[in-house]
Amino acid sequence: MLVDADTIAPFAEGYRFGNGSALAVVKPGTLVEQWRALQACVQSDVIVIFQAANTGLTGGSTPDGDYDRPVVIINTMRIRGLHLIDGGRQVVCLPGTTLVDLERTLAPLDREPHSVIGSSCIGASVFGGICNNSGGSLIRRGPAYSELALYAQVDAAGQLRLINHLGIALGDHPEEMLDRLDRHGFAEAEVEWPEDRRASDGDYQTHVRRVDAPTPARFNADPSRLFEASGSAGRVALFAVRLDTFAKPTATATFYIGTSDPRRLTTIRRHILTQFTHLPVSGEYMHRDAFDVAATYGKDSFLAIERLGTARLPMLLAWKNRFDRLLARVPFVRRDPADRLLQWLGALLPDHLPPRMVAFRRRFDHHLLLKMEGGGIAEARRYLDDTLNGVEADVFECSPEEDRKAFLHRFAAAGAAVRYRAVHADTVEDIVALDVALRRDDPHWFEPLPAALGAPVLHALYYGHFFCHVFHWDYILKKGSDTHGVEAAMLESLDRRGAEYPAEHNVGHLYPAKPALADHYRELDPRNVFNPGIGKTDRTHRWGLDHL
């Protein structure tokens, strides 16, 4: 248990956003310890914020602002473990298990978790994906989702209850149940396969193909994907979640498509989703400006992942944060010294992008990475050969090295705007980072900003998961700009288009929760004990009912 302000600080500050204070940080080492710590918190009537890797971008797992009760953060990263079921067809994950842990365990079985690369690079937890209905780059798997979980909640009468919907017979006494689960003290015969509960979103492949639907394919507050722990945003105390795993693609091919006419990509998306027998494995979009900024300001991240692998990146990020906190105490040292140092070192390293990618960057504004598997490879070859003329649009089939580097470059874009802001703090006010799910039938997925909105923007970076119509728009604003005003105007524009936001990140303390999501929170947590204020909801005891 940490009670000193300096040791609490790293846990009370979000990865990109969010900062508050806490009475203590508790770091249990077993599920039983987590239960006992939770009991003590409930008996003492304090606020509890559960936290795993703290890699969220919206402050969803840290305190923010003032509360009417003391706050205790329970960080679960010491409770790392997973149990394979039915030879790895499913897996039970404990609170501190990361996507990297899961990917590494499944690799010898030729299976994969819901998400690969992306958030796994920064050590994101499995629980974080479930609690936030997070998306991912793999089209056929949809958002992270499960209806099989073991969790605790505080009911309306103030009683702490452990609820076993995991589909595994563990007993009746909480500590006995948790101890058995912690040490894998159950047999395969005690694992049930309930027909009315799912461990993934198996309907998404049909859902994403409906390109003429006037609604987004997936977004954080979709009422159809709010179920107990799924979409809970820490409104319950989650102890275990059971998930499907997926067969690793065998024969794959990646097609690198370039064009300066966004309508070409619209046509490709609609045809593939409606006419192809095989859905793509993934389809990642990147605009030329995002390509350029990622090439310069995401270079060291790219090389770190390439040379060291994703498993070591969380450790490197932890060292970077400790370096920044240490130098922050030194007078006259500018903010973000680690970013500045890494940027300088990265500039000294040789070019890292394949020549054919760089040549396409010179020719085209819009870039699409289309990965196909099995029979889909021949489908894509035939269609793209017949469709692209090599002038207005062109394609090349990636070598294994180009495939790997193209996707690494795309994911390096996610942190490039943050690095740009750190290095150019004298000219940059802030970043408006929008995580947007457009309507499936919206043909205007790429629209330059109107002059009134674009005036304060230094760089507009567009990238995302193209076939799901989920995009990340990072707007780097000039010094002195009204960040909140610009963001409000952009969100108002998205509302008029029928878009949803956030698409795959937690609402955190940045976005208001839509009615269905706020109702989900209230149903799970009637006394407002866990993570109050999330989604700009009421943060007082019993949702303010004490004052009525």
Side-chain angles (χ1 to χ4, degrees), residues 266-502:
T266 300
T267 300
I268 290 172
R269 171 181 174 268
R270 290 181 62 85
H271 182 88
I272 289 176
L273 289 180
T274 59
Q275 303 299 319
F276 273 30
T277 301
H278 303 84
L279 274 178
V281 175
S282 60
E284 292 297 301
Y285 167 77
M286 202 174 190
H287 185 264
R288 180 177 6 210
D289 292 343
F291 185 110
D292 291 345
V293 171
T296 302
Y297 297 93
K299 184 177 180 181
D300 58 291
S301 296
F302 177 107
L303 293 172
I305 297 170
E306 182 184 43
R307 306 288 172 82
L308 302 176
T310 57
R312 294 186 181 179
L313 201 59
M315 177 187 66
L316 296 176
L317 287 171
W319 287 352
K320 172 182 173 293
N321 291 337
R322 281 196 288 268
F323 181 79
D324 279 344
R325 286 195 297 272
L326 179 64
L327 289 190
R329 303 173 183 176
V330 179
F332 310 116
V333 172
R334 300 178 70 184
R335 286 186 57 185
D336 304 307
D339 280 298
R340 295 174 184 277
L341 176 61
L342 289 170
Q343 187 62 32
W344 178 77
L345 291 173
L348 300 178
L349 297 173
D351 293 340
H352 59 295
L353 297 179
R356 287 202 290 182
M357 281 177 58
V358 176
F360 264 48
R361 177 258 163 229
R362 288 194 294 265
R363 293 173 60 192
F364 302 117
D365 289 338
H366 305 283
H367 301 245
L368 177 64
L369 305 176
L370 175 65
K371 184 183 286 288
M372 303 298 299
E373 176 192 13
I377 298 173
E379 276 189 302
R381 282 186 185 133
R382 287 193 300 268
Y383 172 66
L384 295 174
D385 285 346
D386 292 342
T387 303
L388 305 183
N389 59 20
V391 180
E392 291 88 0
D394 203 353
V395 61
F396 66 84
E397 191 168 334
C398 293
S399 68
E401 181 184 14
E402 288 171 329
D403 178 317
R404 178 173 50 81
K405 290 192 172 186
F407 280 99
L408 265 181
H409 183 55
R410 155 62 187 88
F411 288 107
V418 176
R419 170 62 60 79
Y420 187 99
R421 177 181 61 185
V423 174
H424 299 284
D426 294 341
T427 58
V428 173
E429 181 65 30
D430 208 343
I431 302 166
V432 171
L434 301 182
D435 169 34
V436 180
L438 298 180
R439 299 189 330 264
R440 281 168 283 176
D441 67 344
D442 190 343
H444 305 296
W445 56 270
F446 180 80
E447 281 190 334
L449 285 172
L453 283 179
V457 176
L458 277 171
H459 297 285
L461 312 181
Y462 301 104
Y463 53 96
H465 315 301
F466 186 64
F467 287 84
C468 300
H469 254 200
V470 168
F471 295 93
H472 304 294
W473 297 342
D474 292 344
Y475 297 102
I476 302 174
L477 304 186
K478 300 173 185 176
K479 199 72 172 176
S481 300
D482 177 8
T483 304
H484 296 295
V486 171
E487 182 175 27
M490 290 180 175
L491 295 181
E492 184 180 342
S493 173
L494 289 171
D495 290 336
R496 291 194 296 268
R497 296 175 61 179
E500 293 283 353
Y501 51 85

Side-chain angles (χ1 to χ4, degrees), residues 42-98:
V42 172
Q43 290 167 3
S44 301
D45 198 24
V46 299
I47 287 170
V48 180
I49 297 178
F50 275 92
Q51 177 187 92
N54 193 19
T55 58
L57 304 181
T58 59
S61 57
T62 55
D64 183 78
D66 298 323
Y67 299 87
D68 61 347
R69 292 151 288 166
V71 174
V72 172
I73 299 170
I74 298 182
N75 181 282
T76 61
M77 289 305 292
R78 290 181 62 216
I79 315 175
R80 297 174 80 154
L82 53 90
H83 308 312
L84 299 177
I85 298 176
D86 192 24
R89 183 162 70 91
Q90 286 191 340
V91 63
V92 174
C93 293
L94 303 188
T97 306
T98 66

Side-chain angles (χ1 to χ4, degrees), residues 91-362:
V91 63
V92 174
C93 293
L94 303 188
T97 306
T98 66
L99 287 168
V100 171
D101 297 332
L102 183 52
E103 190 174 351
R104 186 185 295 151
T105 301
L106 293 175
L109 307 176
D110 289 326
R111 299 191 70 83
E112 290 180 336
H114 164 268
S115 298
V116 295
I117 204 167
S119 58
S120 66
C121 291
I122 55 176
S125 69
V126 173
F127 277 25
I130 294 298
C131 290
N132 301 329
N133 280 346
S134 295
S137 65
L138 302 176
I139 297 167
R140 291 175 283 184
R141 300 180 191 176
Y145 182 77
S146 180
E147 297 171 354
L148 298 166
L150 176 67
Y151 63 93
Q153 65 182 157
V154 179
D155 64 20
Q159 297 300 308
L160 179 65
R161 300 186 300 132
L162 185 65
I163 299 170
N164 183 9
H165 289 166
L166 199 59
I168 302 175
L170 295 170
D172 299 315
H173 188 274
E175 292 199 4
E176 173 197 350
M177 295 165 64
L178 295 170
D179 178 62
R180 287 188 66 194
L181 185 60
D182 222 347
R183 56 184 174 81
H184 201 163
F186 59 90
E188 286 280 336
E190 294 175 290
V191 177
E192 303 166 354
W193 298 88
E195 294 182 359
D196 59 340
R197 287 181 178 259
R198 300 178 294 165
S200 64
D201 185 355
D203 300 330
Y204 190 73
Q205 293 190 32
T206 301
H207 185 73
V208 74
R209 284 185 181 271
R210 297 179 181 137
V211 296
D212 290 314
T215 56
R218 57 177 172 87
F219 58 98
N220 179 274
D222 185 346
S224 68
R225 297 184 179 92
L226 300 176
F227 188 91
E228 296 179 356
S230 289
S232 64
R235 286 295 191 166
V236 294
L238 191 54
F239 286 84
V241 66
R242 179 172 162 185
L243 300 167
D244 288 330
T245 68
F246 304 88
K248 184 180 293 186
T250 51
T252 63
T254 293
F255 301 89
Y256 196 109
I257 301 166
T259 181
S260 291
D261 183 355
R263 292 172 298 181
R264 287 283 189 133
L265 297 188
T266 300
T267 300
I268 290 172
R269 171 181 174 268
R270 290 181 62 85
H271 182 88
I272 289 176
L273 289 180
T274 59
Q275 303 299 319
F276 273 30
T277 301
H278 303 84
L279 274 178
V281 175
S282 60
E284 292 297 301
Y285 167 77
M286 202 174 190
H287 185 264
R288 180 177 6 210
D289 292 343
F291 185 110
D292 291 345
V293 171
T296 302
Y297 297 93
K299 184 177 180 181
D300 58 291
S301 296
F302 177 107
L303 293 172
I305 297 170
E306 182 184 43
R307 306 288 172 82
L308 302 176
T310 57
R312 294 186 181 179
L313 201 59
M315 177 187 66
L316 296 176
L317 287 171
W319 287 352
K320 172 182 173 293
N321 291 337
R322 281 196 288 268
F323 181 79
D324 279 344
R325 286 195 297 272
L326 179 64
L327 289 190
R329 303 173 183 176
V330 179
F332 310 116
V333 172
R334 300 178 70 184
R335 286 186 57 185
D336 304 307
D339 280 298
R340 295 174 184 277
L341 176 61
L342 289 170
Q343 187 62 32
W344 178 77
L345 291 173
L348 300 178
L349 297 173
D351 293 340
H352 59 295
L353 297 179
R356 287 202 290 182
M357 281 177 58
V358 176
F360 264 48
R361 177 258 163 229
R362 288 194 294 265

Side-chain angles (χ1 to χ4, degrees), residues 21-59:
S21 59
L23 179 69
V25 174
V26 182
K27 301 176 68 178
T30 67
L31 293 178
V32 172
E33 287 184 1
Q34 179 177 321
W35 172 255
R36 291 174 178 170
L38 181 58
Q39 284 180 310
C41 289
V42 172
Q43 290 167 3
S44 301
D45 198 24
V46 299
I47 287 170
V48 180
I49 297 178
F50 275 92
Q51 177 187 92
N54 193 19
T55 58
L57 304 181
T58 59

